[in-house]
Amino acid sequence: MPPASSTRSPRSARRGSKPAANSRSWDDPVLAPVILVRGPEGLLAERAVDGVVGLARGRDPEVEKSELDGGTYTGGQLAVAASPSLFGESSVVVVRGAEAATEDLVADVVSYVAAPDPETVVIVVHGGGQRGKKMLDAIVAGGAPVLECDAITKDAEKVQFVGGEFRAARRRAEPAAVRSLVDALGNDLRELASACAQLVADTSGTVSEAVVDRYYGGRVEATGFKVADAAVAGDAGGAVALLRHALATGADPVPIVAALALRLRTLARVAAIRGGAATARELGLQDWQVRNAQRDLSRWTPEGLAAAIGAVAQADADVKGGGRDPVYAVEKAVLAIARSRR
């Protein structure tokens, strides 16, 4: 199994809702008679459960673990699973798929939370949504710890996650290597975690960008971020070649345009920092992003940057239905960006 991150999750509360007073990050497990693992990020939920089970086994190596499925649950199963054994061993009961809870599960959990067995740990895993709300409310109201497993969607959060994977494995990784890995595999958190584990197992020393390119170079070169880097650097030929390769290997024009827009927005934000209009912290930028953008901005004028942003805005409209040929639209934008650089 890939190493668990030693850093705290970027967010410990569900997006769009007020966090419970007893909310904790997924990687900050604790023992309690009842624990709620909540959120849509399946990998983090699995790690949260593993963390609790590890604590339980640290307290009692003979602890018994059993699992129940929320979608097929029938009345009375929780009471049986959580009951003390004949030999007095402590137990951990994991109720998975509670977002698909049957009415029997909701009723049994609400009843159990009111008087849980102090020697048993019951972990309810809920992937999100409103189903089973009565059950969730009862768990939270009872003061149970809530391990939050929000989806990791922002690039900065993925970079933080990957960095945490390498730190947990006691391996140093160059910021550029982390960035390349996120660019290549950032759409799937499990794949990111697996890639980190593979690099840790198959290499030694510092994980460099060259190492990442050797293992995942084909994936890296076919991403919109590589296209954007080449375009911003003024390499029109290289950017178009990367773009055509990406499209030929199944990439969609829409996320490529999104990558172009993100790259230019970062330049614009750093330009605002240089002008004293904001700070990096206020704009949510990492130090390495600021350094890279400052290097790029030395070859950009405000007029050129404005022209490039305008070209990408037009391409965004074209690839989302406003134009006849999405491929032509994104290629035109790439060339416009490269030519806008001083």
Side-chain angles (χ1 to χ4, degrees):
M1 170 176 250
S5 172
S6 62
T7 59
R8 294 291 173 253
S9 175
R11 293 163 295 170
S12 60
R14 291 184 300 170
R15 187 186 293 110
S17 65
K18 184 178 180 180
N22 37 342
S23 287
R24 306 170 71 92
S25 174
W26 62 271
D27 54 355
D28 188 20
V30 65
L31 288 179
V34 179
I35 298 168
L36 175 60
V37 174
R38 176 173 65 184
E41 196 64 76
L43 173 66
L44 303 187
E46 290 175 11
R47 291 187 173 184
V49 171
D50 290 344
V52 175
V53 172
L55 290 177
R57 286 181 171 154
R59 184 176 66 181
D60 178 5
E62 302 300 320
V63 68
E64 294 183 356
K65 177 188 173 187
S66 59
E67 297 201 6
L68 303 174
D69 179 67
T72 60
Y73 181 91
T74 56
Q77 287 183 303
L78 178 59
V80 172
S83 297
S85 70
L86 292 175
F87 302 101
E89 295 98 339
S90 57
S91 61
V92 174
V93 181
V94 182
V95 182
R96 298 192 185 272
E99 68 277 5
T102 63
E103 291 300 321
D104 283 342
L105 176 62
V106 172
D108 283 0
V109 170
V110 170
S111 176
Y112 183 83
V113 168
D117 185 337
E119 300 302 318
T120 300
V121 177
V122 173
I123 309 171
V124 178
V125 185
H126 193 283
Q130 293 301 306
R131 189 160 184 174
K133 184 175 184 302
K134 182 180 179 181
M135 169 182 64
L136 300 181
D137 289 346
I139 295 172
V140 173
V146 180
L147 302 184
E148 304 285 4
C149 305
D150 290 323
I152 294 180
T153 57
K154 295 181 180 179
D155 265 8
E157 295 170 347
K158 294 171 186 176
V159 167
Q160 181 180 343
F161 174 81
V162 170
E165 295 289 282
F166 286 123
R167 283 192 295 274
R170 300 181 183 278
R171 288 288 295 278
R172 182 180 179 277
E174 295 176 352
V178 173
R179 176 73 262 177
S180 290
L181 202 56
V182 170
D183 287 350
L185 307 171
N187 291 331
D188 189 325
L189 199 66
R190 289 182 184 277
E191 198 168 7
L192 269 177
S194 178
C196 292
Q198 180 182 15
L199 290 170
V200 167
D202 294 352
T203 67
S204 59
T206 298
V207 178
S208 65
E209 186 176 17
V211 168
V212 173
D213 282 343
R214 186 166 71 245
Y215 278 77
Y216 300 101
R219 299 288 293 275
V220 172
E221 289 171 3
T223 66
F225 292 104
K226 283 290 183 180
V227 176
D229 285 344
V232 167
D235 181 6
V240 170
L242 286 170
L243 172 63
R244 290 176 179 172
H245 174 62
L247 295 171
T249 54
D252 187 270
V254 173
I256 293 176
V257 172
L260 295 172
L262 179 62
R263 191 75 165 79
L264 292 173
R265 283 199 301 270
T266 300
L267 290 182
R269 288 175 179 174
V270 174
I273 294 172
R274 291 173 66 177
T279 65
R281 183 182 296 274
E282 289 170 344
L283 295 175
L285 295 176
Q286 302 291 322
D287 289 342
W288 64 268
Q289 290 177 300
V290 175
R291 287 195 300 271
N292 290 347
Q294 285 176 333
R295 179 194 63 213
D296 292 331
L297 281 171
S298 65
R299 296 299 183 95
W300 281 85
T301 64
E303 295 78 14
L305 186 55
I309 291 173
V312 171
Q314 182 61 55
D316 185 63
D318 289 343
V319 300
K320 293 178 180 176
R324 295 183 178 181
D325 188 343
V327 172
Y328 171 74
V330 68
E331 185 167 315
K332 182 180 177 182
V334 166
L335 288 172
I337 294 170
R339 291 166 181 166
S340 296
R341 181 176 182 266
R342 183 170 59 189

